[in-house]
Structure formats: C-alpha cells, structure tokens
Amino acid sequence: MANGIVRIDECLSKRDGHLWIEEVDKMDIVARHGTPVFVISENQLRRNVRRFQKSFQAGWPDGPVKILPAAKANWITAIQMILAQEGCGCDIFSEGELAVALKAGFPHDLISINGVPKFKYHVYNAIKKVDFIEQAMRDLNTTVYVRLRLKPLLSNFVRHSDFSAE
C-alpha cells in the first residue's frame, strides 16, 4: 500500500474508500454518465486476450492457436473491434452476431459459425457476406470447411455433466 492506494489488480485500485478503474475514480464516471454504468477497461481486455493467447499457445506447441471468443458474450462493436485488433477470431451463431463480427473487422477466415439448427437462408447469408469464401469455392472448385462441435458420449463419468448424454 503506497500513498493510501491499495492495488487490486492491473486495472483496479482503492483510494480513500473509492474504487478506481484505470486511474479514474468511479465517482467521476458516475457523475459523468449516471447509473447504472458498465465500465470495460480496454487495457485489461487486451491484457487478458494476450494472456489467453500465450497460455493456449504454450499448451499447444504443435501449431498456431487462435482465440475465437463468442460474440454472444458481448455484442458491443467496440469490444469486438478490440478483439479483432488483438488477432482473435469470432465464434458466432446468429445472423446478428455475424453482422457484429463483420462490422468489427474480424478476418473472414476467423469467423466460425456454430450451433444448430442452421436454416438454409442463414448458411447462404453467411457465405454470401463472407464473400471471399464463395469466390474461393468457385476458383478452387472445392468445398467450405466447417468446424464442428461434438457432444461425445463419455460413459465413464460418475457425476452428471452437460457433456454427457446421461
């Protein structure tokens, strides 16, 4: 504790009974924006993404690793833009999430469409909007590669898990 400052982490501290976020008193934020107010630290978000990337890459030395956070976790375009700038991809489900991912500037080859059901118009729309896939399919006379999420039957679990069919 230096000068009455208690560091909570890289982003948060406590001074004179007030919470400080990235060196800004939360009371100043409330005075300026009112309540409720949601504050997201760009610096902390970037630090977290870099830590995730570094940790996952260390655990998988056999090739490149890309982090693809789910767009459904936060639809705020500014947040998604930061993730794109940090080299992440984007995991999407809906047409709205696809729109956010495209607006945020994610590389098209790092936008992963997940989940079921997928209606024909949604698949066509995703391929149409991610136009380089459609062009590459024609140019190379090939198919689109699809990432699958599998829910395996793991019969040796003793306790119930959402990954178990029991």
Side-chain angles (χ1 to χ4, degrees):
M1 183 162 124
N3 302 328
I5 300 171
V6 177
R7 275 269 159 281
I8 299 170
D9 62 19
E10 295 164 312
C11 176
L12 303 173
S13 60
K14 181 180 172 186
R15 302 176 195 175
D16 302 320
H18 288 198
L19 177 66
W20 287 64
I21 305 164
E22 295 288 354
E23 307 307 318
V24 178
D25 186 337
K26 66 135 171 122
M27 296 306 292
D28 292 341
I29 296 170
V30 168
R32 182 173 179 183
H33 300 286
T35 62
V37 63
F38 297 91
V39 179
I40 297 171
S41 164
E42 178 179 345
N43 291 331
Q44 189 65 46
L45 179 59
R46 289 182 187 280
R47 284 189 293 264
N48 288 348
V49 168
R50 291 170 189 161
R51 280 188 195 124
F52 292 157
Q53 183 67 35
K54 184 178 177 182
S55 295
F56 281 111
Q57 189 63 65
W60 184 258
D62 298 328
V65 171
K66 283 292 182 183
I67 305 296
L68 280 74
K72 70 181 172 184
N74 192 316
W75 281 48
I76 298 172
T77 305
I79 299 300
Q80 295 299 326
M81 288 174 75
I82 292 166
L83 295 173
Q85 290 167 4
E86 287 297 323
C88 291
C90 190
D91 184 62
I92 67 160
F93 175 79
S94 69
E95 195 168 343
E97 291 171 5
L98 174 62
V100 169
L102 293 171
K103 186 175 181 182
F106 286 99
H108 294 174
D109 61 334
L110 291 179
I111 297 175
S112 178
I113 303 170
N114 74 62
V116 293
K118 285 290 172 260
F119 298 104
K120 183 177 179 179
Y121 79 89
H122 181 50
V123 173
Y124 276 58
N125 187 43
I127 291 173
K128 178 180 171 189
K129 286 187 177 176
V130 183
D131 59 349
F132 89 94
I133 292 175
E134 187 175 316
Q135 185 62 47
M137 287 174 17
R138 284 194 299 267
D139 291 350
L140 301 173
N141 193 28
T142 189
T143 58
V144 173
Y145 290 97
V146 178
R147 293 178 186 101
L148 297 177
R149 287 185 178 181
L150 302 176
K151 185 176 178 180
L153 175 59
L154 303 172
S155 59
N156 291 334
F157 276 128
V158 176
R159 293 180 302 177
H160 173 76
S161 166
D162 64 343
F163 291 107
S164 173
E166 297 174 3

